[in-house]
Amino acid sequence: MDHLFLLIFATAVSAIAAEWGMVWQDLMPYTVGAFVLFGLGSLPAGRLGALWGRRAMMVIFFLGLGAAGLLVAAAQRPWQLAVALTVMGAFAAIYPPVGASR
């Protein structure tokens, strides 16, 4: 789920850019926050998973990722898109250390 949500933007960026009167290369820098938090957020997410439990963290993962997806869909400006994608990256970071470990 986390990779799917993060990569939806990569496939839709051409359509979004055309709608906003831009080229897709102009929008790619706005994804940096998502991928940085996806990587760095795994450390605290793993620790919180150990403290709070896997089930609680996975509930936060699904609810947060869904809410972030709605924020991305509602974005009207590039800076809103950047903030929404960064939030999505933060929630997507929960799955690798919590959901994939057994």
Side-chain angles (χ1 to χ4, degrees):
M1 277 298 271
D2 59 348
H3 292 96
L4 171 72
F5 266 66
L6 287 175
L7 292 177
I8 286 173
F9 177 76
T11 58
V13 69
S14 297
I16 295 168
E19 182 71 27
W20 288 354
M22 304 169 83
V23 293
W24 69 269
Q25 294 93 336
D26 295 338
L27 289 177
M28 293 312 287
Y30 295 104
T31 64
V32 170
F35 294 111
V36 167
L37 278 186
F38 180 66
L40 293 179
S42 294
L43 296 170
R47 177 71 176 137
L48 290 175
L51 292 174
W52 296 349
R54 290 176 45 163
R55 180 182 291 280
M57 286 300 289
M58 288 307 293
V59 168
I60 292 169
F61 165 75
F62 283 113
L63 292 177
L65 200 61
L70 293 174
L71 285 175
V72 170
Q76 301 276 324
R77 303 276 181 263
W79 69 267
Q80 293 172 337
L81 184 66
V83 169
L85 286 170
T86 302
V87 170
M88 181 176 286
F91 284 107
I94 295 172
Y95 185 79
V98 176
S101 64
R102 289 207 172 209

